[in-house]
Every structure is written in structure tokens, then in C-alpha cells.
Amino acid sequence: MSESLHMPANPGEAGPEPPGFQLHAGQRTEESGRRYGWDDEYDRDVWRLRELGIKAKVAHILFDRIPQPWLKDLAKRWARWRLSTGLGAESAASGTRVVTYFAQFLASPAVCVVRLDQVDRPLLERYLAQLHADYAGRVVHRHFIGQLNLFFLAIRQHGWDDTLPASAVFFHEDFPRRDERLPRALSEPVMTQLEQPSNLDRWKNPAHRLVTLILMRCGLRITDTVRLPHD
């Protein structure tokens, strides 16, 4: 009797849809979208990387905070091109965040740039000043300048928009200076004190004393040292 519920009275007529038919149809549509991922994802403001067959730590690339349609289109072309060359999704997403920051700067009332041909060197000098105010002394300061420079370079190389002024470029002097880092090695007087048996004996746990000796004599990281097999 259960079979008769799913069979049409006339083989030429369509019978009632079996339970769950709409769900399966939706799944087929979704699977079709995965086979043609770029056709479905490119126009979205949030790219779902899994739908593009990309497995990465980041799940999405976001364009939804770029208010200028002309800039959003360029950002998408840049991101798609970078992904197609094998660049990691994390790097592509990071570059898009830089363009997003630049877009917010352009849309601010004090700047109000509405066309790419307005992005000239004087504007970039204002951008550098804003970037310094927001990120001075942080690692991302140099990153935001370098990534935007690569974005401009890609626009010129691929001819995506010929209205970008030739003066829209950053120079070496625009990048903040790198702070000189202190040497990671301990000074000789400090090492001498650490190697003294009386100081090593201050460890109450013999295993900790042994780990300290291994670190000093082998130069291993602490995580590698504690994972050594017992001998």
C-alpha cells in the first residue's frame, strides 16, 4: 500500500511528490552552484570560500564594507586574480581588508572621493597621514601601505581601469622605518650565571633543571625540548 502512494494512477501523469522531494531538489540546486562556484559567488558581497573549493583558515572574503561600486569591482577582480595564481586565501582576504580601509577613508566626509581618477599623489599623502594616526608603531602600518601599492600595480598591469593617475603610487620613503630589534641571544655574563651549578640547583624539580641544560646547550625551543622522548 505504501508503494501505491508514490505511483501515479496513470503512468503518463505526474504523481504526488514523495516526502522530502523539495529538500532534495534544493540540495541539487546547491550542488549545481558548487560546480559553477565563481558564477554564483562573484557577485556576492561575501565570498564563501568553500563554495569555490578553497579550504583555508578563513571562511570568507568580505566586500560588504566597500561603499563605492567601482572600487568594490576592482577589489573583487584583484582578489579573484590573486586566488587564481595560487595565493593563499588568508593573504587575499588581508589585501581586501586593506582596500576596505582605503574605501572607508575615501568615503569620509572630509575626503569624499567618488572616482578613481581622483586618487592622486596628494590624496595618498592625506591617506598616509590618516594611516599614521590610526596605526603608527604597529606592524600593520607597513602592511597597509604595501598591499595598497600592490593593488594599484595590479590595476595598471592588467588594464582594469586606465583612469588611475600615474601619481597614485607609494615610494620607499613612505613606509615607516623598522625598529631595530634587540638580539635574541642572551649576553655572556647572563649565560655564565645561568650555567653555575648553584643557580641550576635552585630548581626544585630535577626535570626542570635538565630542560634548562638542554635549552642552553642545544638551542632548542621550549616546546621542542619538553617533547623529547625520555632516555
Side-chain angles (χ1 to χ4, degrees), residues 17 20-21 24 37 48-49 61 63 84 93 109 124 127 172 184 188 194 206 212-213 215 217:
E17 297 173 351
F21 176 81
H24 296 319
R48 302 165 299 176
L49 295 181
I61 296 182
F63 304 93
S84 68
L124 295 186
Y127 170 77
H172 176 74
R184 300 182 64 183
E188 187 63 27
L194 291 175
T212 303
L213 285 172
L215 288 171
R217 296 178 182 177

Side-chain angles (χ1 to χ4, degrees), residues 28-219:
R28 286 196 295 270
T29 301
E30 185 68 18
E31 291 171 0
S32 175
R34 289 176 183 172
R35 284 195 293 270
Y36 304 96
W38 280 113
D39 293 337
D40 185 50
E41 291 299 311
Y42 189 82
D43 291 335
R44 295 177 180 270
D45 282 348
V46 177
W47 286 357
R48 302 165 299 176
L49 295 181
R50 289 187 61 184
E51 302 300 322
L52 299 173
I54 300 174
K55 296 180 180 180
K57 293 181 180 179
V58 295
H60 305 89
I61 296 182
L62 310 177
F63 304 93
D64 54 339
R65 296 188 61 192
I66 302 178
Q68 306 89 344
W70 51 272
L71 187 57
K72 182 184 297 185
D73 180 64
L74 290 171
K76 287 184 174 183
R77 296 187 72 172
W78 188 44
R80 181 177 61 180
W81 172 71
R82 300 183 94 190
L83 291 172
S84 68
T85 63
L87 186 72
E90 293 84 357
S91 297
S94 177
T96 302
R97 287 194 294 271
V98 171
V99 178
T100 300
Y101 176 88
F102 184 62
Q104 296 293 325
F105 165 77
L106 297 181
S108 62
V111 179
C112 195
V113 165
V114 296
R115 301 189 312 273
L116 186 63
D117 61 5
Q118 296 176 293
V119 180
D120 53 13
R121 177 63 192 183
L123 176 76
L124 295 186
E125 291 175 1
R126 296 176 63 184
Y127 170 77
L128 287 171
Q130 182 63 49
L131 196 62
H132 184 271
D134 289 345
Y135 295 108
R138 298 173 58 181
V139 176
V140 296
H141 191 173
R142 294 179 62 88
H143 176 73
F144 271 53
I145 300 173
Q147 288 293 302
L148 191 58
N149 220 22
L150 290 176
F151 178 57
F152 293 153
L153 178 62
I155 293 174
R156 295 189 179 96
Q157 283 182 327
H158 301 288
W160 291 336
D161 194 324
D162 295 333
T163 66
L164 178 65
S167 63
V169 63
F170 294 107
F171 303 106
H172 176 74
E173 295 77 13
D174 294 328
F175 289 79
R177 295 181 179 180
R178 294 182 181 271
D179 294 332
E180 293 187 7
R181 297 182 178 180
L182 295 174
R184 300 182 64 183
L186 295 177
S187 63
E188 187 63 27
V190 174
M191 287 300 301
T192 301
Q193 295 180 52
L194 291 175
E195 292 172 343
Q196 291 180 5
S198 59
N199 287 327
L200 290 171
D201 290 340
R202 297 174 66 181
W203 282 115
K204 297 181 180 180
N205 188 327
H208 296 168
R209 187 183 192 278
L210 177 60
V211 166
T212 303
L213 285 172
I214 294 174
L215 288 171
M216 291 191 297
R217 296 178 182 177
C218 302

